[in-house]
Amino acid sequence: MTIPDIEEFEERAAIAQYDGGLSRSDAEDLAARAQGFPDADRYWEWLADYVIRRGLP
């Protein structure tokens, strides 16, 4: 799996929330699924694990 694109995630979630009328939670789940994750919780868990275990360049 490639490193998630945080900017894309945030932009997609914001659009889904404000233009689509979704709750923030549902909008983040939608944005996470667009990047191949089952939901936002798994997205953030993966990203946190990557930062802690592998480090960022």
Side-chain angles (χ1 to χ4, degrees):
M1 179 177 278
T2 61
I3 299 171
D5 184 333
I6 297 170
E7 288 183 31
E8 181 181 323
F9 174 87
E10 292 293 340
E11 182 177 2
R12 183 177 292 260
I15 291 168
Q17 182 179 5
Y18 294 106
D19 291 344
L22 297 178
S23 68
R24 184 65 184 177
S25 177
D26 288 343
E28 286 186 352
D29 285 344
L30 178 73
R33 285 192 300 274
Q35 292 194 36
F37 294 88
D39 57 35
D41 287 339
R42 299 308 167 274
Y43 173 89
W44 290 116
E45 287 172 8
W46 189 96
L47 200 57
D49 180 60
Y50 182 83
V51 170
I52 291 168
R53 298 189 189 277
R54 295 168 188 87
L56 289 175

